Amino acid sequence: MAQRWYTPDDGGPVADLDPVFRHGYAPALHGMLKALSVVNTDGPPWGPRWAQFDDPIYRPTELRSAMDNLGWSVAYCTLHPIMQGSVHGDGSRDLSVSEFFSHAEILSGQDVGKVKGYAGREHPEALKLQDGGWIERAGNALENARASGRALTEYGRLEPLQLGNGWWGAHWSGPVGSVPHDAQARCSTINEWHENFRASALTVLAESLTRFGAIIHGARFNLNSLMGACVAQLEKFDAEAEVPQGLATGWKTYRGIVDLATAGPMVPFVIADKMVEVLSANGTENLDAGGFYGTLYSFLQKADELMRRTTDEVDALIDEMRKKFVIADTDLGAPSWTGTAPEIA
């Protein structure tokens, strides 16, 4: 059996990526790219290469790995690396190995949890979380603080200062603008803000953390799937000497989470369950058909598109969270310690 023209490589730009990539398709893609970025004349094995024929009758073309490198190069043509797009004469740019992993680098390092089997390559249902990382830990901490009673005890000390309590009239009274009046108004408002806003704020925050984790998990899955489609399409083209149809890949989005607050105060903190729920929805994305260079360029375009989608989802999430907090602040009159004291009815 002939030796393969590439060897998977988990070093270089792959070494520091998130496990979903290191244990997924990134090593195979890295090995392919290294082989496609050089012309090996000492083989076999020889990698695919771009042939520029000396005879104008023949059009430049991409040679597969099975073709005789020495025979072609000596007798008929000059060989170039597949990724040297500038030799195509059609405005194609040169490609670099590192740029194929820049998207994965951006999506690596966030401790949003570990997925069983992590890559979930041929079996997307294996995306069940083993732990939810810092998002789950933050959600649990928020829920513990909300339900422990410790905070209620601390802020309960403000209760004697609430509006309408006889203590106010006996000890703190005065015209509008006086220190006693302002103190009464501010203490009453912060007490109301804590009791009514804090629980809803924690719900919004936990919901947002859940969505953010799902966005990152979905983006990682999508990019790993694109890598897999790219690897499969390059191998198919090399084996069959024809341009294959663009391969479809699984696609995940976080949009299954709509409004966790409506499900009750405890639901937003069940982070792991919601991650699985939101990633269970399947979509598809097609890698454009093409030869070696065309497939590689299509991958970069699709990866850029994925990052734009991910950025849009994060931006929308932040805007939505900000609006919810602003509405809550406005409705409940969150205390201002530098502005005018609230009115007392």
Side-chain angles (χ1 to χ4, degrees):
M1 183 175 179
Q3 185 179 354
R4 298 181 72 177
W5 58 274
Y6 75 93
T7 302
D9 188 342
D10 60 2
V14 176
D16 296 325
L17 297 180
D18 189 87
V20 72
F21 304 114
R22 287 189 288 106
H23 300 162
Y25 293 109
L29 180 60
H30 185 214
M32 282 185 165
L33 293 171
K34 289 178 63 177
L36 295 174
S37 64
V38 299
V39 171
N40 176 22
T41 58
D42 298 325
W46 294 296
R49 51 252 184 244
W50 174 261
Q52 184 75 39
F53 292 93
D54 298 329
D55 191 332
I57 295 178
Y58 298 98
R59 298 181 60 184
T61 188
E62 293 177 327
L63 304 180
R64 295 182 298 147
S65 62
M67 295 181 178
D68 181 0
N69 186 80
L70 293 179
W72 281 102
S73 63
V74 171
Y76 299 103
C77 63
T78 302
L79 300 178
H80 301 275
I82 291 292
M83 295 171 66
Q84 190 177 339
S86 56
V87 301
H88 293 190
D90 59 2
S92 299
R93 66 179 180 86
D94 293 347
L95 306 178
S96 65
V97 174
S98 59
E99 68 182 303
F100 284 83
F101 302 98
S102 60
H103 312 84
E105 185 178 8
I106 293 172
L107 293 172
S108 295
Q110 303 94 339
D111 182 18
V112 293
K114 297 180 178 63
V115 178
K116 183 179 181 181
Y118 219 115
R121 294 166 19 173
E122 286 76 21
H123 304 285
E125 66 274 12
L127 280 171
K128 186 173 183 180
L129 289 185
Q130 292 178 315
D131 72 79
W134 63 262
I135 287 184
E136 185 171 38
R137 293 194 296 272
N140 291 338
L142 290 171
E143 171 58 15
N144 291 337
R146 188 178 71 88
S148 65
R150 181 179 64 250
L152 294 178
T153 299
E154 294 169 356
Y155 281 83
R157 297 171 184 173
L158 291 174
E159 188 174 352
L161 307 181
Q162 285 182 339
L163 213 57
N165 190 289
W167 191 92
W168 278 108
H171 297 88
W172 282 19
S173 62
V176 174
S178 68
V179 172
H181 176 277
D182 284 4
Q184 176 185 0
R186 293 185 193 281
C187 288
S188 177
T189 303
I190 195 173
N191 190 51
E192 179 187 4
W193 183 87
H194 170 78
E195 290 186 352
N196 296 286
F197 174 72
R198 185 170 179 269
S200 61
L202 290 177
T203 299
V204 171
L205 181 56
E207 176 184 334
S208 301
L209 287 172
T210 304
R211 290 187 178 190
F212 176 75
I215 290 172
I216 298 301
H217 277 300
R220 288 174 177 173
F221 181 92
N222 294 342
L223 185 57
N224 182 65
S225 296
L226 278 180
M227 289 181 177
C230 184
V231 168
Q233 192 154 312
L234 291 176
E235 288 183 336
K236 182 177 176 66
F237 177 65
D238 186 62
E240 299 182 6
E242 62 182 28
V243 178
Q245 295 297 316
L247 297 182
T249 177
W251 210 251
K252 302 291 182 182
T253 177
Y254 87 103
R255 298 185 184 279
I257 296 180
V258 180
D259 189 358
L260 300 182
T262 61
M266 295 297 290
V267 173
F269 300 97
V270 188
I271 306 297
D273 292 344
K274 286 300 170 183
M275 290 287 196
V276 176
E277 175 185 317
V278 77
L279 290 174
S280 64
N282 279 301
T284 58
E285 181 70 37
N286 292 318
L287 201 62
D288 295 341
F292 293 111
Y293 184 91
T295 295
L296 294 177
Y297 192 70
S298 174
F299 170 86
L300 291 177
Q301 290 179 310
K302 296 295 183 181
D304 286 346
E305 180 183 345
L306 166 62
M307 296 309 297
R308 286 192 293 269
R309 292 187 191 181
T310 302
T311 300
D312 289 344
E313 289 181 345
V314 172
D315 287 344
L317 172 64
I318 293 173
D319 288 341
E320 183 179 344
M321 182 174 63
R322 183 183 294 115
K323 289 176 182 177
K324 287 184 178 180
F325 277 119
V326 168
I327 292 173
D329 280 347
T330 302
D331 292 346
L332 295 171
S336 169
W337 302 108
T338 57
T340 303
E343 293 295 330
I344 301 178

